[in-house]
Amino acid sequence: MASHIVGYPRMGPKRELKFALESFWDGKSSADDLQKVASNLRSSIWKQMSEAGIKYIPSNTFSYYDQVLDTTAMLGAVPARYGWNGGEIGFDTFFSMARGNATLPAMEMTKWFDTNYHFIVPELGPDTSFSYSSHKAVSEYKEAKELGIDTVPVLVGPVSYLLLSKPAKGVEKSFSPLSLLENVLPVYKEVISELKAAGATWIQFDEPTLIKDLDSEQLDAFTKAYAGLESSCAGLNVLIETYFADVTPEVFKTLTSLKGVTAYGFDLNRGAKTLDLIKSDFPADKYLFAGIVDGRNIWANNLASSMTTLSSLESIVGKDKLVVSTSCSLLHTAVDLINETKLDSEIKSWLAFASQKIVEVNALAKALAGQKDEAFFSANAAAQASRKSSPRVNNPEVQQAASALRGSDHRRSTDVSSRLDAQQKKLNLPILPTTTIGSFPQTVELRRTRREYKAKKISEEAYISAMKEEISKVVKLQEELDIDVLVHGEPERNDMVEYFGEQLSGFAFSANGWVQSYGSRCVKPPIIYGDVSRPKAMTVFWSSMAQSMTARPMKGMLTGPVTILNWSFVRDDQPRFETCYQIALSIKKEVEDLEAAGINVIQIDEAALREGCPLRKSEVAFYLEWAVHSFRITNCGVKDTTQIHTHMCYSNFNDIIHSIINMDADVITIENSRSDEKLLSVFREGVKYGAGIGPGVYDIHSPRIPTTEEIADRINKMLAVLETNILWVNPDCGLKTRKYSEVKPALTNVVAAAKKLRTELASAK
């Protein structure tokens, strides 16, 4: 019985790639240094999988930014503005597309399906030319082969690549990137030919868009694509991978009828309906790569349950054609549980990070082949029983309070227009008020102070003093810049979800459970293992301290329940909405305590609301119903004069704009600049929005500093579709990842642009 891993984490156990990338970007190391770190990481993971007994080991799932951008490089689909003139695409062009440079903005970045991972969106048009311009897939295959390891090269499939693309700037929005299918196939054929010549016997095409609701034209594209590649793939075993959800019966029929395809991979964690399709109509003589080990979460696999499922599949597919696999790439989980020192032994026994999942996959494959590791299975069964019965998991009082929320509405009693009037009388803000999203740069010294405090190397008194000094510096800077609504900069927070989770019951935290979000950006998701409650106030001390330093409004900064949920590893033993309601009740108590402490502006970030939408349209309405309800629970009891903000970033919001309106926030700040201001199109098309709104005026994920004129131009575009009295001026997102040398001039220009337009608007009256 064979085993397979769809993909693997890139950052390394101690985020080696993160630091190598940042050192290279800062000019402190060379391209050779960066490539050496990457090569060492690839080698170690290939060897680990080989030694664990994995038969089908992936290559070309390692990336310096993301796998879609890798495909853009492979196809030579570089937007003209980057001045690329052909040849092998180097780091300068690659990272300019990803991050922008001193003179050019980056390409759009958005979420990878319903994960917290991001990808750079390809920009295509009818005149886009394609050429084989990155030989990464072949190079990595050869690199593994030199180590004596035969891998399965992985490519983003041609149809998914095109479906994930967008029309380039200046191209008609009606243009379909899918029309370029015949143009990209010749490059894929060249890659396949080189891989065959290098000795590859298998190739994996990731086609995750197959789990979407596809129309007939899109389905036909898959048939055309793989018919077009059939002759090039002759002599190769071709695996098509899907993940993250069920496939529909129509997709299943199309997929299993594709020419030249040897094997199909399905996510059987999120694909119970797909399992029924496999059992009823799986094609004879094809391989089934059964994604039974969850690549999205960190809970140990229920081996006994998986064996039951796999045994039933074995009777359908046959012993020789069934391959045990992960449900998706392990990119979405932490690297190795062996590095964990903070987790107690009971909770640790319930978990499996990427390295442990590799072992689980192989243990299941060996058990199906009659080589069951009885001790391993027995320990797993004991851990499953421990988790189910542990009193740490269940709190009847919390469960009862959350259950009582169902069927109710929880909405502020006054409409938003009346509330904004009351808030303006209290806050007395100018038109086009300026603010930031919350965080300010996290300096090396600041991070060191937090580490030393957690390690008990400095006293609480010394820690508070250092944080107070940092907050004072941030407040003073904002006053000097003449920003209207201030933030305290969040110096006490390494990560906004982690910060709140550490103070809520039912959460556990890893020491090194880092997961890549984009580029070198890593997050360490909390682990929600039990019922959630708030033992004490979490932010009131810091917000009150900051407010005492200024006469200007100071925002209290909270993370919303949906974002905490979606950016955590969530318990899988109850519906997600139950856990979300529990978190919402905890945040509600914090909001009320902030208001009582005199904080008049409270931001409850829901950055991850959109990314949590199910991938099937039929399931979206139910999700949005409980997600929006959860947000409203947090602030339904505050006074009209307390202004509730929320923030969202890096997703396509247009299709859920009515749900965003239904959140009933007083002000929403939202990503806008990096997505060619797509958000504004919904207002051009007639959607009425009466609450305050701040579409971001510049991209904080790029080191580039926007000019005053550029920002003013963006604001004018907003004023063309939004009322002056509801428009706010702010960056796209928080400033944590930036340097002060970038933040100060950028915010100076933001304020200057807002003042310039205030003057122009006053003169026009």
Side-chain angles (χ1 to χ4, degrees):
M1 189 64 60
S3 51
H4 166 250
I5 305 296
V6 177
Y8 49 85
R10 303 164 186 157
M11 287 294 109
K14 296 182 179 179
R15 295 178 291 164
E16 292 90 337
L17 182 62
K18 168 189 172 64
F19 299 117
L21 281 167
E22 291 171 351
S23 179
F24 174 72
W25 291 337
D26 289 343
K28 297 176 181 177
S29 63
S30 67
D32 287 344
D33 295 330
L34 176 58
Q35 289 167 331
K36 184 176 180 180
V37 170
S39 180
N40 288 339
L41 284 171
R42 287 193 296 267
S43 298
S44 65
I45 195 70
W46 287 328
K47 289 176 182 176
Q48 179 189 4
M49 285 191 268
S50 179
E51 291 167 1
I54 302 298
K55 179 177 180 180
Y56 300 108
I57 296 172
S59 61
N60 198 41
T61 65
F62 187 94
S63 178
Y64 290 107
Y65 217 86
D66 77 79
Q67 68 273 33
V68 179
L69 185 59
D70 287 344
T71 310
T72 294
M74 182 186 83
L75 295 169
V78 180
R81 66 180 178 273
Y82 296 107
W84 175 68
N85 295 314
E88 189 80 2
I89 289 176
F91 280 152
D92 284 351
T93 300
F94 185 84
F95 288 127
S96 290
M97 290 191 287
R99 305 176 72 240
N101 56 42
T103 58
L104 294 169
M107 295 167 69
E108 179 183 350
M109 182 167 66
T110 196
K111 296 291 175 72
W112 178 248
F113 294 83
D114 60 345
T115 75
N116 188 31
Y117 179 67
H118 300 67
F119 72 97
I120 302 298
V121 181
E123 301 174 12
L124 305 177
D127 298 327
T128 301
S129 60
F130 300 96
S131 61
Y132 187 13
S133 304
S134 171
H135 292 67
K136 176 178 175 293
V138 178
S139 297
E140 286 192 19
Y141 174 79
K142 290 179 177 178
E143 184 181 349
K145 197 168 185 182
E146 288 177 3
L147 298 171
I149 300 171
D150 190 34
T151 60
V152 179
V154 179
L155 302 176
V156 174
V159 183
S160 286
Y161 176 79
L162 294 173
L163 290 177
L164 293 169
S165 302
K166 70 170 188 176
K169 197 166 187 177
V171 173
E172 288 293 328
K173 297 302 180 186
S174 59
F175 172 75
S176 170
L178 204 55
S179 65
L180 299 173
L181 180 60
E182 294 299 325
N183 301 37
V184 302
L185 290 183
V187 178
Y188 275 89
K189 290 177 182 179
E190 286 188 73
V191 179
I192 293 165
S193 177
E194 280 199 8
L195 287 169
K196 285 169 67 174
T201 56
W202 279 83
I203 188 168
Q204 176 179 318
F205 291 100
D206 280 5
E207 292 282 13
T209 55
L210 280 163
I211 52 83
K212 303 282 278 184
D213 294 298
L214 302 175
D215 59 32
S216 58
E217 179 188 4
Q218 292 165 332
L219 281 175
D220 286 345
F222 286 96
T223 301
K224 292 175 183 175
Y226 288 93
L229 295 176
E230 183 182 12
S231 60
S232 298
C233 290
L236 278 175
N237 291 296
V238 175
L239 163 64
I240 297 184
E241 268 290 345
T242 70
Y243 36 79
F244 297 156
D246 283 301
V247 296
T248 65
E250 295 78 14
V251 167
F252 185 81
K253 182 178 180 181
T254 298
L255 176 59
T256 54
S257 301
L258 296 179
K259 293 183 178 181
V261 177
T262 314
Y264 311 100
F266 297 104
D267 184 337
L268 299 184
N269 275 273
R270 298 188 169 210
K273 295 176 182 176
T274 299
L275 189 60
D276 293 335
L277 292 171
I278 293 168
K279 289 178 178 179
S280 65
D281 194 24
F282 193 78
D285 300 323
K286 301 291 185 182
Y287 286 82
L288 171 63
F289 282 61
I292 199 75
V293 172
D294 190 357
R296 289 280 297 269
N297 216 328
I298 42 70
W299 303 108
N301 186 269
N302 187 325
L303 297 178
S305 176
S306 292
M307 282 298 294
T308 300
T309 300
L310 290 168
S311 295
S312 68
L313 291 172
E314 186 180 49
S315 65
I316 298 164
V317 180
K319 185 182 291 287
D320 296 336
K321 294 291 190 292
L322 180 62
V323 179
V324 182
S325 181
T326 55
S327 64
C328 63
S329 173
L330 297 177
L331 166 71
H332 307 289
T333 190
V335 178
D336 197 340
L337 200 54
I338 201 171
N339 298 313
E340 293 309 317
T341 55
K342 291 176 64 174
L343 296 167
D344 65 63
S345 57
E346 182 181 37
I347 291 179
K348 201 169 178 178
S349 74
W350 302 341
L351 307 178
F353 290 0
S355 292
Q356 289 68 48
K357 291 177 185 294
I358 290 170
V359 175
E360 288 179 339
V361 167
N362 205 53
L364 288 165
K366 289 177 70 176
L368 279 172
Q371 302 169 38
K372 185 177 180 181
D373 184 335
E374 295 291 350
F376 187 72
F377 272 71
S378 178
N380 176 265
Q384 297 292 326
S386 163
R387 183 181 169 208
K388 189 173 183 179
S389 61
S390 175
R392 302 169 69 179
V393 172
N394 302 300
N395 183 328
E397 184 179 343
V398 171
Q399 293 173 2
Q400 185 176 0
S403 296
L405 298 172
R406 295 184 220 170
S408 52
D409 190 32
H410 296 93
R411 191 184 294 269
R412 294 172 78 176
S413 58
T414 310
D415 66 73
V416 69
S417 178
S418 300
R419 298 198 309 264
L420 288 175
D421 287 343
Q423 292 156 17
Q424 179 59 20
K425 288 175 184 176
K426 186 162 191 171
L427 299 174
N428 192 30
L429 298 172
I431 61 168
L432 305 180
T434 53
T435 191
T436 64
I437 306 306
S439 58
F440 265 65
Q442 299 269 312
T443 63
V444 172
E445 294 78 13
L446 188 55
R447 293 179 188 276
R448 183 187 303 118
T449 301
R450 280 201 306 265
R451 285 197 306 269
E452 289 177 349
Y453 176 61
K454 286 192 173 185
K456 298 183 179 179
K457 292 181 179 179
I458 61 173
S459 67
E460 183 175 14
E461 183 181 3
Y463 172 72
I464 290 174
S465 177
M467 294 300 106
K468 183 176 182 179
E469 183 179 346
E470 183 69 20
I471 291 170
S472 177
K473 182 177 75 173
V474 169
V475 171
K476 184 178 179 182
L477 172 62
Q478 292 173 91
E479 288 186 326
E480 289 173 352
L481 292 170
D482 204 18
I483 293 173
D484 300 303
V485 176
L486 310 190
V487 299
H488 77 287
E490 304 176 7
E492 78 284 7
R493 309 176 194 182
N494 179 59
D495 176 89
M496 64 182 187
V497 176
E498 180 181 9
Y499 175 80
F500 289 100
E502 284 178 334
Q503 302 179 80
L504 296 169
S505 65
F507 282 75
F509 291 86
S510 63
N512 294 290
W514 298 100
V515 179
Q516 184 183 12
S517 180
Y518 63 87
S520 67
R521 172 71 172 148
C522 296
V523 295
K524 192 168 57 173
I527 299 164
I528 306 178
Y529 68 84
D531 292 325
V532 178
S533 61
R534 187 197 74 146
K536 62 181 181 179
M538 302 180 286
T539 66
V540 176
F541 175 79
W542 301 113
S543 293
S544 298
M545 176 190 290
Q547 184 63 83
S548 71
M549 297 175 179
T550 181
R552 302 187 185 210
M554 174 65 62
K555 285 196 282 192
M557 300 300 304
L558 304 175
T559 303
V562 183
T563 296
I564 291 177
L565 184 86
N566 285 333
W567 286 359
S568 298
F569 291 125
V570 184
R571 59 189 294 190
D572 58 358
D573 58 346
Q574 70 177 15
R576 289 173 68 87
F577 69 82
E578 292 279 6
T579 303
C580 199
Y581 282 167
Q582 292 177 4
I583 302 170
L585 287 172
S586 298
I587 300 299
K588 181 176 188 291
K589 292 179 181 178
E590 188 71 13
V591 168
E592 291 167 353
D593 281 353
L594 281 168
E595 183 183 59
I599 304 299
N600 297 312
V601 182
I602 302 172
Q603 182 170 308
I604 309 168
D605 286 344
E606 284 297 15
L609 181 88
R610 175 64 180 83
E611 80 182 43
C613 279
L615 300 170
R616 297 250 78 92
K617 290 179 182 177
S618 60
E619 300 169 8
V620 170
F622 177 65
Y623 164 78
L624 289 173
E625 178 185 346
W626 62 255
V628 169
H629 185 201
S630 295
F631 177 82
R632 291 204 308 263
I633 287 167
T634 66
N635 60 86
C636 61
V638 300
K639 295 179 287 189
D640 285 359
T641 50
T642 298
Q643 189 168 82
I644 298 296
H645 289 225
T646 191
H647 171 69
M648 297 180 183
C649 58
Y650 293 103
S651 283
N652 182 8
F653 303 105
N654 294 21
D655 56 343
I656 65 163
I657 190 66
H658 293 290
S659 293
I660 292 173
I661 293 171
N662 196 30
M663 291 170 70
D664 201 27
D666 297 312
V667 179
I668 179 172
T669 51
I670 196 163
E671 184 275 326
N672 171 67
S673 63
R674 195 160 180 169
S675 56
D676 286 339
E677 297 156 344
K678 284 189 296 189
L679 172 69
L680 301 183
S681 66
V682 299
F683 304 114
R684 294 189 191 102
E685 292 160 9
V687 171
K688 299 297 182 184
Y689 193 77
I693 185 167
V697 296
Y698 84 94
D699 173 26
I700 65 87
H701 290 85
S702 169
R704 179 176 173 273
I705 298 167
T707 65
T708 299
E709 292 71 23
E710 180 183 335
I711 295 169
D713 181 61
R714 287 190 184 278
I715 299 170
N716 273 321
K717 289 179 180 177
M718 299 170 194
L719 288 170
V721 293
L722 294 166
E723 295 295 328
T724 306
N725 64 334
I726 67 169
L727 187 61
W728 285 64
V729 178
N730 48 262
D732 267 344
C733 203
L735 304 169
K736 178 187 296 184
T737 61
R738 301 269 56 89
K739 301 172 184 175
Y740 274 104
S741 59
E742 299 159 352
V743 165
K744 289 179 182 178
L747 291 182
T748 297
N749 293 347
V750 167
V751 174
K755 288 182 175 181
K756 177 177 183 290
L757 290 175
R758 287 173 195 163
T759 301
E760 291 177 2
L761 289 168
S763 299
K765 287 184 178 179

